[in-house]
Amino acid sequence: MTKRRDFLLGAAAAATGTTLAAPYVKAQSPIKWRLQTYAGPALAEHVIKPSIDSFNKVAQGQMEIELYYADQLVPTGELFRAMQRGTIDAVQSDDDSIAAPVDVSVFGGYFPFATRYSLDVPVLFNQWGLREIWEEAYGEIDGVTWLSAGAWDPCHFNTKEPIRSLKDLEGKRVFTFPTAGRFLSRFGVVPVTLPWEDVQVAIQTGELDGIAWSGITEDYTVGWADVTPYFLTNNISGAWCGSYFANTERWEELPDHLKELFRLCMDSSHYYRQHWYWGGEAKLRVEGTKMELTSIPDEEWDTVETAAHEFWDEIAGESERNARVVQILKDYNAAMVKAGRPYRYGKA
């Protein structure tokens, strides 16, 4: 067959006066990756699947990424080690949830009051130096390469009972992220860790009283709005900070054009989430019919923000690198307040 194919190619070249090259995809097997996201299937339809579908289409058979959902191959808390071992090739999640063994992992997910809007995250990484700090931190870890960070939705509470004061939070068993839970425990919240797919049932059985994991867009998208009739408009963070990671060996094996294609698809995913969440958060507050909006008065919620800044200083004391991140967050938020509307108004 090889001789016959060479003969046919040669005959065609002779007939046209040109030299024909064999297509790349015919010369070798396609590269296959397994990528697991933190998100369940309904949420993944928005936060990652469109970009992976695009990658597979544009790669034209040279590479194929198989997408897996929350806890499908590996429990979320074990994703980092599984990627390091090569059990899976890439991950989309926050550093905090996958137990990344770096000091800056506490800033992944929802670091309390670090951001007010989703645009704050890419600005902090691309203009204020966080990218370089993350590359430095993960450069000290063998086997995993940090690739890119982007923003998701703000962190609100959706609950079975209405929350109208800080006292209403006391004793509430809440599904949330590790660092967010560590902070919220100061206000009597009892953080609970569960597999993502078990959360809705846990609300129905009474194992959970609420969730502090998302904004209202996700509540409707994944079904939580069906079991938590109240949505607290106060939030502890303006945007979740999540990243893409890859097994270092597998990443370095990729030809440059496929690396570039993956970078473009990460950027596409980041952009999609910016408008999907931003529009959804407003529309569902106004038009949503499943959840009643509640609020804690501003003067009471200000005490939570003050406590968050004290929490920042505690985190800064854990490492020199964390101190650099906290200083950037302080400088950035001060600059946003100084810039005024629409960037900030009132306190940082």
Side-chain angles (χ1 to χ4, degrees):
M1 289 298 294
T2 301
K3 289 182 180 179
R4 182 171 181 270
R5 180 175 175 277
D6 290 343
F7 172 79
L8 291 172
L9 286 170
T16 60
T18 60
T19 301
L20 300 179
Y24 171 89
V25 71
K26 297 294 185 185
Q28 58 187 2
S29 299
I31 300 165
K32 293 237 182 195
W33 269 21
R34 300 199 301 175
L35 186 157
Q36 184 169 312
T37 176
Y38 73 98
L43 183 58
E45 284 289 332
H46 293 279
V47 301
I48 188 170
K49 191 173 184 295
S51 63
I52 298 302
D53 289 345
S54 294
F55 181 95
N56 289 336
K57 182 177 180 180
V58 178
Q60 296 185 324
Q62 296 180 24
M63 181 171 173
E64 180 184 355
I65 298 176
E66 297 173 349
L67 179 61
Y68 295 89
Y69 305 120
D71 305 306
Q72 194 170 358
L73 294 179
V74 180
T76 296
E78 299 174 17
L79 276 174
F80 191 93
R81 297 301 184 191
M83 179 171 42
Q84 201 172 34
R85 292 191 302 267
T87 304
I88 53 177
D89 305 299
V91 165
Q92 180 206 43
S93 184
D94 66 282
D95 325 57
D96 201 21
S97 295
I98 64 174
V102 293
D103 44 10
V104 296
S105 66
V106 295
F107 301 104
Y110 290 121
F111 191 66
F113 293 91
T115 58
R116 181 167 289 182
Y117 307 120
S118 58
L119 277 173
D120 292 336
V121 174
V123 172
L124 281 162
F125 273 85
N126 294 307
Q127 296 186 25
W128 283 73
L130 292 195
R131 170 177 290 277
E132 290 76 14
I133 292 176
W134 259 244
E135 289 173 343
E136 172 193 299
Y138 283 94
E140 297 171 0
I141 304 296
D142 292 334
V144 171
T145 297
W146 175 86
L147 297 174
S148 178
W152 274 251
D153 51 341
C155 183
H156 293 262
F157 289 83
N158 50 302
T159 55
K160 293 168 66 176
E161 298 177 355
I163 304 297
R164 295 190 173 95
S165 70
L166 286 179
K167 188 169 181 58
D168 291 337
L169 288 173
E170 292 179 7
K172 294 294 188 294
R173 294 158 298 177
V174 174
F175 173 71
T176 190
F177 294 86
T179 298
R182 176 178 163 189
F183 172 68
L184 290 172
S185 63
R186 300 176 177 216
F187 303 95
V189 171
V190 181
V192 178
T193 301
L194 290 170
W196 189 90
E197 290 287 356
D198 294 344
V199 171
Q200 188 163 338
V201 173
I203 287 284
Q204 293 170 299
T205 60
E207 187 178 352
L208 288 175
D209 301 305
I211 302 166
W213 205 85
S214 70
I216 200 168
T217 308
E218 285 191 21
D219 293 338
Y220 275 79
T221 301
V222 307
W224 292 342
D226 298 327
V227 295
T228 52
Y230 298 98
F231 179 85
L232 182 65
T233 60
N234 310 73
N235 65 57
I236 66 164
S237 175
W240 189 70
C241 175
S243 292
Y244 285 82
F245 309 82
N247 174 275
T248 299
E249 185 177 347
R250 298 309 304 276
W251 176 251
E252 291 177 350
E253 286 172 355
L254 292 185
D256 288 343
H257 71 288
L258 289 178
K259 287 181 180 176
E260 193 64 23
L261 176 58
F262 193 73
R263 291 188 184 101
L264 289 170
C265 286
M266 287 189 292
D267 286 343
S268 172
S269 176
H270 294 330
Y271 170 70
Y272 179 95
R273 292 191 312 273
Q274 287 279 354
H275 64 78
W276 183 64
Y277 277 121
W278 185 254
E281 295 301 301
K283 183 175 182 178
L284 288 169
R285 284 194 189 195
V286 175
E287 300 179 7
T289 59
K290 296 180 180 180
M291 306 179 83
E292 179 183 334
L293 305 184
T294 66
S295 297
I296 294 174
D298 288 346
E299 60 274 15
E300 192 174 357
W301 195 249
D302 284 347
T303 64
V304 181
E305 188 165 356
T306 298
H309 292 151
E310 296 169 357
F311 182 71
W312 288 14
D313 291 335
E314 289 180 24
I315 298 298
E318 293 180 357
S319 76
E320 180 274 335
R321 186 156 47 216
N322 282 2
R324 279 188 277 149
V325 174
V326 167
Q327 190 59 52
I328 287 173
L329 294 178
K330 289 181 176 180
D331 293 345
Y332 175 77
N333 278 280
M336 295 299 103
V337 170
K338 203 171 197 179
R341 298 176 187 271
Y343 299 96
R344 292 290 191 277
Y345 53 91
K347 300 193 333 179

